[in-house]
Amino acid sequence: MPHQDFLRRLPESERALRKRDRLQQRLHIDFWLLLLLFIITMGGLGVLFSASDQSLGTLKRQGIYFFIAYTAMFMVAQVPVHFMRRLAPWAYVAGVGLLIAVIFIGVGAKGAQRWLSLGGFRFQPSEFMKLAMPIAIAAYLGQRHLPPVFKHVFFTLVLVAIPVVLIIKQPDLGTSILVAASGLMVLFFAGLSWRYIFVAIGALLASLWPLWHFVLHDYQKKRVLTLLNPEADRLGAGWNIIQSKTAIGSGGVPGKGWLQGTQSHLDFLPEGHTDFIIAVLAEEFGLIGVLTLLGLYVLVVLRGLTIAIRAQDSFGRLLAASLTLTFFVYVFVNVGMVSGLLPVVGVPLPLVSQGGTSIVTLMTGFGILMAIATEPRKVIR
């Protein structure tokens, strides 16, 4: 009988699942998350090849970055979660120290001083804080009674504010938003009272005027004004947004086809291989391509939240949820920026835009997620 055959095969299926689970535990790799990341990165290489005018050099560099990033992910996945918890305060202090060092011995480029150069190797300390921040906040709140009381909320906000202010001074508004999000996400998932959230919203609204007049640089103000009316300076500040919208609209539903985009290949779309690469995707692969990529991003977020729910302690849950939702903020800010819904703040599209340090940082974060997902189960006696 068919159902009897099914029942006879059931134990074999269970053994296969257990064997797969043991393999995941041994390698410290979440296969579903790895599969989703691999699909996105391979598709991203194809889009980047087109966006860079079929530059094999750009494709090769991106491939090297991905090799380094995947290697970092596998290595970090082997680190025990309890060791990350112990390392958290030292990582935070080191990150803040590097940000302070940028002020005095940082390397400048294009009007910004964001990099350090050590032994010929140039890196951005603010990228390190994208990981050090959520680890430190998760370690701090994970050792306390949740939801957090006022003094713990206040101290958490101080921990978030210190590196964010240092990054804003570089200036780097996009990275400061992501670093702040990575810390505030931990606080939110710790069960922050809605009373605090509404107070924070009110304080933010009240601070808009002094922020505009005393904090934001002229070029940042110009980005906000351009968002509200890009046609006011069609050939200047509004050019990127206007050309981006044109590229997105011209792709329609099916797209023009791979390597057939005109906005990017005729150089109408600036930064098509970095911040505005989703406009190239929309033009060549249309609405179908954009929805496919966004669908993959959603699956990554859902997998990350599943890992957070299944984590064994507060530290793992808070850290996994923060890393996952910070990844979502990456996507949300970039797509909103390119589509004209948010100001241009220089946030790349995760795993698709050309980049080095940002890709390695992202994949290292996914390595932490995998370490949490494959943490050995505690035996209750």
Side-chain angles (χ1 to χ4, degrees):
M1 298 290 290
H3 67 282
Q4 292 176 336
D5 293 337
F6 172 76
L7 291 175
R8 279 197 297 267
R9 291 196 299 269
L10 184 58
E12 296 179 5
S13 300
E14 290 180 350
R15 283 197 295 271
L17 288 173
R18 290 178 182 177
K19 184 177 180 181
R20 187 199 67 185
D21 291 340
R22 286 197 298 270
L23 182 60
Q24 287 191 143
Q25 292 289 337
R26 192 178 305 118
L27 298 177
H28 294 278
I29 293 299
D30 185 272
F31 289 143
W32 285 114
L33 182 57
L34 179 62
L35 176 62
L36 290 169
L37 296 176
F38 183 77
I39 293 173
I40 294 174
T41 53
M42 291 301 102
L45 286 174
V47 177
L48 180 62
F49 180 66
S50 177
S52 62
D53 287 331
Q54 306 174 41
S55 170
L56 291 176
T58 299
L59 194 66
K60 181 180 178 180
R61 283 193 299 273
Q62 189 81 339
I64 293 173
Y65 291 144
F66 276 132
F67 175 78
I68 296 172
Y70 272 98
T71 301
M73 182 190 72
F74 282 110
M75 291 176 63
V76 171
Q78 314 307 313
V79 179
V81 176
H82 66 84
F83 182 76
M84 296 182 191
R85 187 188 299 109
R86 294 175 186 173
L87 192 64
W90 303 107
Y92 178 87
V93 171
V96 172
L98 290 173
L99 290 175
I100 294 174
V102 169
I103 298 175
F104 298 101
I105 59 173
V107 178
K110 297 182 179 180
Q113 189 165 309
R114 306 171 183 171
W115 297 268
L116 286 177
S117 182
L118 299 175
F121 177 71
R122 185 172 165 180
F123 68 99
Q124 228 177 314
S126 56
E127 290 289 333
F128 175 73
M129 282 306 305
K130 292 178 183 178
L131 298 177
M133 174 72 82
I135 294 174
I137 303 300
Y140 173 72
L141 293 177
Q143 296 176 347
R144 284 154 180 81
H145 183 270
L146 301 179
V149 297
F150 175 77
K151 65 178 181 179
H152 297 150
V153 173
F154 178 79
F155 187 68
T156 298
L157 293 178
V158 171
L159 291 177
V160 173
I162 292 172
V164 168
V165 170
L166 291 172
I167 295 170
I168 289 176
K169 286 179 65 66
Q170 294 181 355
D172 190 351
L173 184 58
T175 302
S176 68
I177 291 173
L178 296 175
V179 171
S182 67
L184 295 177
M185 286 294 179
V186 179
L187 189 59
F188 176 78
F189 282 105
L192 183 66
S193 170
W194 283 102
R195 177 181 58 187
Y196 292 133
I197 295 176
F198 288 133
V199 169
I201 294 174
L204 178 62
L205 293 175
S207 66
L208 289 180
W209 187 86
L211 282 174
W212 179 267
H213 288 279
F214 303 110
V215 177
L216 292 182
H217 294 264
D218 289 338
Y219 77 93
Q220 293 169 336
K221 295 179 183 179
K222 196 170 186 179
R223 288 176 178 179
V224 175
L225 296 175
T226 299
L227 169 70
L228 300 175
N229 185 18
E231 285 75 16
D233 189 7
R234 298 179 63 90
L235 299 179
W239 176 264
N240 287 12
I241 294 298
I242 293 172
Q243 297 305 318
S244 174
K245 290 180 179 180
T246 301
I248 294 172
S250 65
V253 175
K256 296 178 179 178
W258 188 47
L259 307 178
Q260 301 303 312
T262 55
Q263 292 298 113
S264 58
H265 295 310
L266 297 179
D267 293 331
F268 287 106
L269 180 65
E271 308 297 336
H273 59 295
T274 54
D275 296 347
F276 286 82
I277 197 169
I278 198 171
V280 178
L281 173 70
E283 184 178 24
E284 297 189 352
F285 295 93
L287 180 63
I288 296 174
V290 173
L291 291 180
T292 300
L293 178 62
L294 293 181
L296 290 169
Y297 282 146
V298 168
L299 291 176
V300 170
V301 170
L302 291 176
R303 188 60 186 171
L305 292 178
T306 300
I307 292 172
I309 292 171
R310 294 177 179 176
Q312 297 190 50
D313 54 25
S314 296
F315 173 74
R317 284 190 291 272
L318 293 175
L319 180 55
S322 172
L323 291 172
T324 301
L325 268 294
T326 303
F327 174 78
F328 169 78
V329 172
Y330 262 95
V331 178
F332 177 79
V333 172
N334 179 269
V335 174
M337 176 182 77
V338 174
S339 58
L341 299 176
L342 295 174
V344 177
V345 291
V347 175
L349 186 65
L351 307 177
V352 179
S353 294
Q354 179 185 353
T357 311
S358 62
I359 291 176
V360 175
T361 302
L362 271 172
M363 296 303 286
T364 302
F366 285 120
I368 296 174
L369 272 178
M370 291 186 179
I372 295 172
T374 57
E375 183 181 13
R377 294 291 166 185
K378 298 175 183 177
V379 178
I380 302 176
R381 297 183 183 277

